[in-house]
Amino acid sequence: MQFAILGPVEARRPDGTSVPLGGPQLRGLLALLALDAGRVISAERLIDGLHGDHPPDGAAEALQSQVSRLRRRLRDGGAPDGLVEFTPAGYRLAVDPQEVDVHRFERLTAEARTTPDPAAKRELFAEALALWRGPALDGLADPPRAARLAELRLAATEDRVEADLVLGHHERLVAELRELAGEHPLRERLTAQLIRALHGSGRSAEALSVFAEIRERLADELGADPSAELADAHVAVLRAAGPAPARRVPVPLTGFVGRSELDDLKAALDDARLVTLTGPGGAGKTRLAIEAAAGEVCFVELATTTDVPRAVLAALGLREQGVLAPGVAEEPADRLAAALADRPLLLVLDNCEHVVAAAARLVRRLLGACPGLRVLATSREPLALTGEKLVPVGALPASAAARLFTDRAAAVAPGSVPDPGAVNRICAALDGLPLAIELAAARLRSLPVDDVAARLGDRFRLLSRGDRTAELRHRTLRGVVEWSWDLLEPDEQRLAGRFAVFAGGARLDAVEHVGAEPDADGVLTGLVEKSFVEFAGGRYRMLETIRAFCAEHGDDRRAAHAKYFLGLARAAEPNLRGADQLTALAELTAEHANLHAALRWGASEEPETAVRLIAALTWYWWLRGLRSEATPFADAVVAAFGAEPPAGLAEEYVLCLIHASDTDVDIEPILHGLEGPLRHPYLFLLWAFSPRTKVRDGERLAALVGDDAWSRAFTRIGDGLGAQYRGRIAEAETHFSAALEGFRALGDRWGEASALEKLAEFADWRGDHARFRELMDESVRLAGELGSVEDAADLLCRRADGVLRAGDAETARADYETAADLARAAGTPLTLARARGGLGEIARRAGDLAAARRWYTAALGLAVDPVTGGETRIRLHTGFGWTAAAEGNLDEATDLHQEALATALEHTNLPGAAQAVEGLAGVLAAKTEDERAAFLLGVAVGLRGTPVTGDADVVSVTDRVRLRIGAEAYAQAFERGREMPPEQALGEFGQRRFALGS
């Protein structure tokens, strides 16, 4: 009979059915006996367990009665007599403890903790936890022991999660850990595991936000600092030096046969910063690179791309820019140089031969700018850079070649032992070329080894009459691929030829549609078995050497391929603006290489397909922060169509014009010819931020935005920005609140984060610090879910600004430092400048003016971009100006605030102008020109549309001026400034007449 107390207390017959036990007293008694199964328990302990510190009168007699009833219930249920024994020392449940689930649980968890294999450990913990069906003892007896068991369960859950983390199961753990951390908000190990799972899933910004939340909770509720484990998890995210883990080295599907080149390669990597493995296709260069890679590694597959910098950017999980902020994207090579400047990394560039010049240019740039970087390239020819160390990869030695053939043969024909002589003949015929040997071994599924050897001999005697100018091993590899091709069934040859159109592999649905082969699933299975196609992670892919051969022998399916992926992109595009946003992003990211292949074909062969595909992918590029990816395709489309858009595709054509790098085609007339509603409502956003836009007729284009829910919410964002820039803050807040409500109903994280950031800013100005933190925390979290570390870092700076204004310098410092770490890792110098400027603010407020100068100077050196750096330069010059004023350098302070004002006027940034004007008021107050200072303080509020509550600098100036000239005079001067129309104020300040106005 089995006993279960990890949940409702049960006694089970051998067939699994339950024995009726009666009321809670009997079940509680059985639970206590089962807890110490096989051991005697005194009557006093049983009474304490059942009744606690205050047992009723006659508890001993009642216990005897309960034991009798329990024996009867068990006996009636089929248990043998004597199962519950009585001795002078007490009572005993006479069963093996392993018949009780709690003892099995403890045995399994103990075994799991001593098991070194993570997979076995995970399974043992999972088996132990599966015994639980609810709270232990079901609330019936002995609360302290029930609490202890609950703790054991939670600890086992944490240990099982730990094993999952070691196995790399990060993504699937996130939801579970969120729930557990919510149930146990002060349990630091669970939160540390959540941070690790988020980071391992590429959501580092979200992980950092979780750490910030628990650090604050621990301080508020326990007055404690984070534990070492929690702090280590936090540091690991920061030290990973990237917004997502670098693309890991692929996990081989087969074992590695030792080669002498591996030792040579490892030695070369120790000595040189650039090592290139050279050799023919199929020689095993990629596998050698995989085996040699150690430490922090980013693996970049170049076989399916012609844009090396963007391929490296994608492999590192970096974006060209954030998704919330407008602006011109930096050059990918510049972004990479910034991101890798102080990062120790081995960059593996695989299959460089078709992009060797571009790869060499990027490698030269990165090695010169990034002292901690090493590069391992695989190519059929050297990169030809100074300092490059070459490791040639040649044929396998005979013994190693035979081992490889035998190893692969055992996988396809288990139990058979091929004749060593035949194996040696095969390997010799194939020149010891690893890929050729693996293809030949795959034939043992259907041919005896002697037949394989004989057919190879015939084939290569014929091939020897071919092109004798080709390098021997290239002829050998092509020969073995052709031989393997000839042995395929006709339907396998047909599908293999058509499959070659896929860049980066494909899922079954795509193969069925593009390949147009009946029973594609079955045919693919045959190709996998014959090593023509690989299958892993739900996708089929072909080695590039085989793919190139098949492309020569197959039908041209590029039109069908482009049509399929255009359909896929158009189907996914609406989901990019709703609750399925992350799923749609992941789906399009998985097909990135195929989408670009379709674009390349369309741009050269069928521009209408290309223009439709560019439009369908535009919001994907925006959300992924990869906006310039469209540029070469857009350039080709614009060149194909000229100045006139194709019929019915004017919107799509405008999107191409916005993406294009340089064209004489004027966007404005085409825009004015559009009729609403827009099929692509975000065209308004791209148009507004395009540097090529000349006429800012926003009202005209906004009128074209449709009436669907997303368009309405999006329009409110535009209306809110317009109202804010005109200083109408209450109106702006109404618009942003409506936008947030609309985007929340849709589940669009981008829209929510955009609205939340502005609403948080207004709450900060009002001095509503709790609301500000709530809104900013949610915005940071959403940016993290979108994978936008750039935006998360910027939002952390904004959050720190408000926290500092509220007087919490230490929390603000932590946010600025975290933002700086993220900005360095993501290669975003402008955000790094903001973070350094924030640290300068903290130093200035603490009175350390020398440190403040150092921070501001370092920050200004980074905020040099004339297009995107305006707001940051305003903040830095203003902070620097307050520092100079505090030192008594009033002329310098005036120049710095005027520089900030000029930048604000250039960008028509009224809040920024208000900030600069307040700085100038501080200079006037220092000169005791108090009425003019009060006037400028009023002008600033008029420009911004609202005062900023809690601004220590403004409060200080206000108090000093009011004290010297009196409240009435201050109020009169302030009101004159506040009532000055913004247009008049801007006109006067544009002429640098800031000292006038009294």
Side-chain angles (χ1 to χ4, degrees):
M1 184 166 282
Q2 300 279 325
F3 298 92
I5 64 174
L6 300 179
V9 178
E10 294 180 356
R12 298 174 187 150
R13 302 180 182 92
D15 63 1
T17 58
S18 295
V19 175
L21 294 174
Q25 285 291 312
L26 291 187
R27 286 183 283 123
L29 174 60
L30 178 59
L32 291 172
L33 291 167
L35 276 168
D36 286 291
R39 294 196 294 268
V40 175
I41 311 173
S42 69
E44 290 78 9
R45 278 184 57 201
L46 290 173
I47 291 171
D48 288 345
L50 290 170
H51 303 291
D53 294 334
H54 304 287
D57 294 338
E61 292 77 9
L63 177 62
Q64 293 175 9
S65 174
Q66 289 162 4
V67 170
S68 297
R69 295 208 317 269
L70 178 60
R71 285 171 174 158
R72 187 163 56 252
R73 292 276 186 176
L74 293 172
R75 187 170 58 249
D76 292 346
D81 289 335
L83 199 61
V84 179
E85 295 179 347
F86 172 73
T87 73
Y91 298 90
R92 181 172 83 101
L93 184 63
V95 297
D96 184 337
Q98 291 305 305
E99 301 298 317
V100 182
D101 58 0
V102 67
H103 299 296
R104 292 201 300 279
F105 168 79
E106 291 178 332
R107 175 181 58 80
L108 288 167
T109 55
E111 184 179 346
R113 290 186 175 104
T114 60
T115 299
D117 178 31
K121 184 186 292 285
R122 192 246 178 236
E123 292 308 314
L124 286 167
F125 277 122
E127 183 182 350
L129 290 165
L131 296 170
W132 286 75
R133 297 158 295 112
L137 307 180
D138 200 21
L140 296 174
D142 203 345
R145 294 186 76 173
R148 185 184 72 83
L149 289 172
E151 171 61 27
L152 291 177
R153 179 187 190 183
L154 188 54
T157 301
E158 291 171 333
D159 288 340
R160 193 266 302 157
V161 166
E162 189 65 31
D164 271 318
L165 288 170
V166 171
L167 292 168
H169 302 158
H170 299 99
E171 185 67 43
R172 74 186 193 193
L173 288 171
V174 169
E176 177 189 4
L177 283 168
R178 278 199 185 283
E179 183 177 351
L180 287 168
E183 293 172 359
H184 307 278
L186 296 176
R187 194 167 180 99
E188 295 180 73
R189 187 183 185 197
L190 282 175
T191 306
Q193 290 176 327
L194 173 58
I195 289 170
R196 292 163 58 197
L198 286 167
H199 177 55
S201 303
R203 295 150 73 175
S204 299
E206 201 175 341
L208 292 169
S209 180
V210 168
F211 176 79
E213 291 168 7
I214 193 171
R215 179 178 57 194
E216 185 174 354
R217 190 181 305 120
L218 290 168
D220 290 346
E221 299 186 26
L222 301 179
D225 292 327
S227 67
E229 181 176 9
L230 190 55
D232 287 346
H234 177 232
V235 170
V237 178
L238 298 179
R239 287 182 177 170
R247 184 171 296 169
R248 297 181 178 88
V249 175
V251 178
L253 302 178
T254 56
F256 178 70
V257 174
R259 305 184 61 166
S260 60
E261 292 99 330
L262 182 57
D263 292 334
D264 297 338
L265 177 55
K266 289 180 177 179
L269 287 170
D270 288 338
D271 294 338
R273 293 182 62 208
L274 171 60
V275 178
T276 302
L277 286 167
T278 59
K285 300 184 296 295
T286 299
R287 186 58 185 273
L288 273 171
I290 289 172
E291 294 297 326
E296 189 184 358
V297 181
C298 178
F299 188 93
V300 188
E301 169 58 74
L302 297 177
T304 60
T305 187
T306 57
D307 192 331
V308 179
R310 286 197 178 89
V312 178
L313 206 69
L316 284 164
L318 298 174
R319 300 163 177 255
E320 295 168 4
Q321 59 201 121
V323 302
L324 302 181
V328 179
E330 298 174 74
E331 284 295 320
D334 295 339
R335 190 63 177 274
L336 287 169
L340 299 176
D342 55 359
R343 182 173 179 178
L345 179 77
L346 174 63
L347 183 65
V348 180
L349 301 178
D350 193 34
N351 292 313
C352 294
E353 47 274 345
H354 67 298
V355 287
V356 68
R361 284 194 299 272
L362 180 65
V363 169
R364 181 190 297 113
R365 168 77 189 281
L366 294 183
L367 288 178
C370 311
L373 182 69
R374 294 176 299 142
V375 177
L376 171 57
T378 75
S379 179
R380 295 182 188 179
E381 58 179 299
L383 300 189
L385 294 176
T386 302
E388 179 181 26
K389 190 159 190 175
L390 301 181
V391 177
V393 180
L396 285 172
S399 59
R403 284 199 308 276
L404 176 62
F405 185 95
T406 303
D407 179 65
R408 302 301 186 260
V412 300
S416 64
V417 180
D419 175 61
V423 170
N424 290 333
R425 290 196 302 276
I426 292 170
C427 294
L430 298 178
D431 295 320
L433 201 61
L435 177 57
I437 290 170
E438 294 194 12
L439 287 171
R443 311 314 309 175
L444 295 191
R445 192 183 304 276
S446 55
L447 290 173
V449 67
D450 288 333
D451 283 2
V452 172
R455 294 182 183 216
L456 279 178
D458 292 341
R459 163 63 64 184
F460 286 109
R461 276 193 294 273
L462 292 172
L463 287 172
S464 65
R465 302 190 184 98
D467 182 5
R468 296 185 183 276
T469 64
E471 197 271 333
L472 176 61
R473 291 194 178 90
H474 283 302
R475 284 189 282 139
T476 299
L477 181 59
R478 182 174 181 82
V480 78
V481 174
E482 187 172 356
W483 170 74
S484 296
W485 170 272
D486 289 344
L487 294 177
L488 296 178
E489 299 295 331
D491 56 350
E492 291 174 335
Q493 288 183 342
R494 192 163 52 245
L495 186 59
R498 294 174 178 177
F499 188 94
V501 75
F502 292 105
R507 293 191 175 275
L508 177 61
D509 182 69
V511 180
E512 289 175 334
H513 279 79
V514 177
E517 179 66 36
D519 188 28
D521 191 2
V523 178
L524 277 172
T525 300
L527 290 172
V528 170
E529 290 175 347
K530 295 168 184 175
S531 296
F532 253 72
V533 172
E534 295 178 346
F535 179 72
R539 295 180 69 84
Y540 297 89
R541 69 180 293 270
M542 219 175 234
L543 292 176
E544 286 304 306
T545 302
I546 298 174
R547 181 169 168 252
F549 178 92
C550 291
E552 297 175 6
H553 292 73
D555 302 338
D556 185 352
R557 304 295 296 173
R558 290 178 295 172
H561 176 271
K563 179 180 178 182
Y564 174 84
F565 284 101
L566 172 60
L568 183 144
R570 295 178 73 172
E573 193 265 351
N575 295 331
L576 293 171
R577 302 193 296 278
D580 294 328
Q581 197 170 54
L582 299 184
T583 301
L585 282 169
E587 179 183 5
L588 291 172
T589 299
E591 300 297 352
H592 190 273
N594 280 310
L595 291 165
H596 277 222
L599 278 167
R600 280 193 294 274
W601 177 82
S604 62
E605 302 293 333
E606 199 172 275
E608 282 201 10
T609 294
V611 75
R612 293 177 193 272
L613 191 49
I614 288 170
L617 291 174
T618 288
W619 198 237
Y620 161 74
W621 283 318
W622 180 281
L623 291 178
R624 276 288 182 238
L626 301 172
R627 299 169 210 173
S628 68
E629 277 197 353
T631 299
F633 309 116
D635 286 345
V637 167
V638 172
F641 286 119
E644 291 298 321
L649 296 174
E651 260 184 65
E652 289 79 356
Y653 186 65
V654 168
L655 285 170
C656 280
L657 289 172
I658 292 172
H659 284 304
S661 58
D662 186 25
T663 173
D664 295 330
V665 179
D666 191 356
I667 293 179
E668 310 303 330
I670 303 174
L671 280 175
H672 282 271
L674 293 177
E675 297 182 1
L678 294 174
R679 296 187 304 279
H680 304 283
Y682 42 80
L683 170 58
F684 175 80
L685 178 70
L686 274 74
W687 169 84
F689 293 138
S690 171
R692 297 185 56 246
T693 301
K694 303 183 185 74
V695 182
R696 300 287 169 178
D697 186 4
E699 292 184 5
R700 158 66 188 146
L701 195 56
L704 298 177
V705 178
D707 195 43
D708 62 283
W710 193 90
S711 296
R712 289 197 302 272
F714 179 73
T715 301
R716 299 302 289 269
I717 290 277
D719 293 342
L721 288 171
Q724 180 183 358
Y725 291 153
R726 293 190 296 273
R728 288 150 39 185
I729 302 305
E731 179 185 337
E733 192 160 13
T734 299
H735 285 307
F736 285 119
S737 295
L740 177 61
E741 183 179 349
F743 284 127
R744 272 187 172 154
L746 292 166
D748 184 330
R749 293 162 181 81
W750 174 85
E752 288 183 68
S754 300
L756 283 163
E757 177 191 359
K758 303 309 295 183
L759 292 170
E761 184 175 26
F762 301 150
D764 179 33
W765 289 355
R766 285 196 304 273
D768 188 346
H769 302 305
R771 179 67 172 158
F772 166 77
R773 279 302 303 268
E774 177 187 349
L775 295 172
M776 283 303 303
D777 288 352
E778 186 177 0
S779 186
V780 171
R781 177 181 63 79
L782 290 168
E785 289 184 6
L786 285 170
S788 181
V789 175
E790 298 84 352
D791 289 305
D794 187 65
L795 291 170
L796 284 172
C797 286
R798 294 178 186 271
R799 186 170 76 182
D801 295 343
V803 169
L804 182 60
R805 207 167 357 257
D808 188 351
E810 287 311 305
T811 299
R813 184 190 305 279
D815 272 353
Y816 285 133
E817 289 174 347
T818 298
D821 286 325
L822 287 174
R824 274 192 295 267
T828 50
L830 200 57
T831 304
L832 181 57
R834 281 205 62 169
R836 287 178 173 173
L839 293 169
E841 285 289 294
I842 292 175
R844 177 171 69 85
R845 291 170 190 269
D848 190 348
L849 300 182
R853 271 190 173 275
R854 289 195 298 272
W855 282 119
Y856 289 131
T857 301
L860 281 168
L862 297 171
V864 295
D865 189 293
V867 178
T868 62
E871 182 183 351
T872 301
R873 287 199 305 279
I874 293 168
R875 295 171 56 83
L876 294 172
H877 280 124
T878 303
F880 217 151
W882 286 106
T883 303
E887 295 170 330
N889 301 319
L890 297 185
D891 289 342
E892 181 187 9
T894 299
D895 290 342
L896 287 163
H897 289 308
Q898 284 184 329
E899 186 67 31
L901 181 58
T903 303
L905 294 176
E906 179 185 351
H907 291 271
T908 321
N909 183 337
L910 267 64
Q915 191 176 356
V917 169
E918 286 164 343
L920 291 169
V923 173
L924 291 176
K927 294 179 177 180
T928 66
E929 298 183 35
D930 293 326
E931 286 197 11
R932 293 181 174 183
F935 174 78
L936 288 189
L937 290 175
V939 168
V941 171
L943 288 172
R944 187 186 291 112
T946 184
V948 175
T949 303
D951 187 313
D953 296 315
V954 174
V955 168
S956 175
V957 173
T958 300
D959 290 345
R960 279 184 285 144
V961 170
R962 186 184 281 122
L963 180 65
R964 288 198 293 255
I965 66 174
E968 184 176 350
Y970 173 85
Q972 290 175 354
F974 179 91
E975 283 303 312
R976 285 200 310 273
R978 190 180 66 81
E979 291 174 359
M980 178 180 281
E983 295 79 7
Q984 181 183 347
L986 289 176
E988 292 194 9
F989 287 125
Q991 300 173 45
R992 302 231 173 177
R993 294 167 57 192
F994 73 91
L996 303 180
S998 57

